[in-house]
Amino acid sequence: MARSDYPITEEYQLSYEALQSTGNTLGNHVDHGAGISRQLIGEALRSRVEAINQDTCEVGDEDAFFVADLGEVYRQHLRWKNNLKRVTPHYAVKCNPDPQVLRLLSELGTGFDCASKTEIEQVLKIGVDPSRIIYAQPCKTKSYVRYAAQHGVKQMTFDNADELYKTKQLFPDAELYLRILTDDSASLCRLSQKFGAALESAVELLELAKKLELNVVGVAFHVGSGASDPKAFLKAVQDARFVFDQAASLGFNMHTLDVGGGFCGETFEAMAAVLSSALDAYFPPHIRVIGEPGRYYVSKAFTIACHVIARRTVADATLGTTSYMLYMNDGVYGNFSSIIFDHQNPVPRILQSSNGFAYDKHRSGYDTPSMTEYSIWGPTCDGIDVISSSCMFSETVDVGDWLYFEEMGAYTKCSATRFNGFTDSHDVLYVCSEPGASALLGL
Ligand SMILES: *Cc1c(COP(=O)(O)O)cnc(C)c1O
């Protein structure tokens, strides 16, 4: 059994072992699951889109909606266990606090990384023991610290002296992790500009913690969200070792290393390999290791469907070309907030047009001779609300047609606003391409 701080549930263990004992590689399993996944997602999209008549529906019935495949979250968990056995994942709730995702991860035995009172409350409410939560925000609101103390959420991070005084006042029994900064220059969203103590200041912070009789139990870092350089993990693990040794010389007995998040589906195996060997080189097996993956678990699991509310024809007389501006019912102030905050470029695909239902149809063969250029815009009155300034489709897209975008699970719905009176709450239709996950969820 993989080293884990929480017992792995029986169902999970069964399917995990079945996977190994049949000689199936995880790769085969994943390919199979991904095929079923597209089939289930396609069916859910089709039934919803076909049920909506835009000429007669109630206000909002034609709003954008998600289809979430919880089986994808489950497969990512197997993949984690296969590649990072030593690291217990604590899902970063901020990335997507979807209640079914949280429920599945809780059943799978992961921990949770929360950064506010509301996130802590949401996770506690589904029955997660407070010992499985880390309040991983180095700069905390006082009333939230009192809330954490009242509810037994002891693990929390800090990176400055003021936070130590605050902890002394409000929660002297907290189990503290010193967050150190990292080289996050190769990541999508840099975090170390805002958080993390420089290595040179670690010793002063530890001395202050000692003086205040606080309990520092480990080191935490984050290599940046959407990290792309595996070497960032090596350097961060080496720096963490340095701080562990400093702490030992001051009389602390650190027992846990928190390697943060930053993992992406595309580069996961390469990252995990570098991280695993760094851990084995610098941290003996009795040191507990936790991580805080967010994006990794949910990015691919969510697909969004949006409909075209308006279209403008743009004729260029000099070039003799015609292109179109499409206006959708969701944009950067809504679920496409990831374009602004997370530097994403979601890829538009046709879901439903006058040629019929087209999910998964244009995955290849896009280069037909008769391509038309489109730009895609959100529904608000702001010019910044653009989803794609140029994309090509081989068929005509009209008002009322539907588009879809894949990999919309991370940093999308959670940062949507209600700007201009548009909704920030969108339906999620759940499917599950893994029987193991369905069983855990009682679906
Ligand atoms: C945002 C965040 C995470 C999750 O990062 P991902 O890149 O989505 O894995 C983990 N830990 C902390 C402290 C964060 O701020």
Side-chain angles (χ1 to χ4, degrees), residues 80 90-95 113-115 134-138 157 179 189 191 195 220-227 258-264 291-298 342 410-411:
W80 182 283
H90 285 53
Y91 174 66
V93 174
K94 79 165 186 281
C95 180
D113 153 12
C114 299
I134 179 163
Y135 185 0
Q137 160 62 290
T157 59
R179 168 114 168 233
C189 303
L191 302 171
F195 296 119
F221 60 74
H222 195 303
V223 296
S225 193
D258 176 357
V259 300
F263 306 90
C264 317
E292 300 166 354
R295 180 191 307 282
Y296 166 82
Y297 269 100
V298 288
D342 196 31
Y411 305 111

Side-chain angles (χ1 to χ4, degrees), residues 322 324 350 355 362 365-374 391-397:
T322 302
Y324 298 93
I350 296 173
N355 291 335
H362 295 294
Y366 247 97
D367 291 325
T368 58
S370 57
M371 300 291 267
T372 306
E373 186 179 11
Y374 292 86
C391 65
M392 307 294 279
F393 290 128
S394 60
E395 36 187 290
T396 308
V397 183

Side-chain angles (χ1 to χ4, degrees), residues 41 100 123 208 225 243 396:
I41 294 169
Q100 298 298 339
V123 171
L208 176 60
S225 193
V243 177
T396 308

Side-chain angles (χ1 to χ4, degrees), residues 136-138 157-160 177-181 191-192 194-198 205 218-222 292:
Q137 160 62 290
T157 59
F158 75 100
D159 65 2
N160 64 79
Y177 293 74
L178 172 52
R179 168 114 168 233
I180 56 172
L181 55 75
L191 302 171
S192 287
K194 184 170 177 184
F195 296 119
L205 289 172
V219 172
F221 60 74
H222 195 303
E292 300 166 354

Side-chain angles (χ1 to χ4, degrees), residues 51-78:
I52 297 165
N53 180 346
Q54 292 157 23
D55 294 324
T56 56
C57 70
E58 294 293 320
V59 174
D61 277 359
E62 76 285 63
D63 278 350
F65 64 93
F66 287 96
V67 176
D69 178 12
L70 297 164
E72 172 60 24
V73 177
Y74 182 87
R75 278 192 296 280
Q76 287 297 82
H77 187 65
L78 294 188

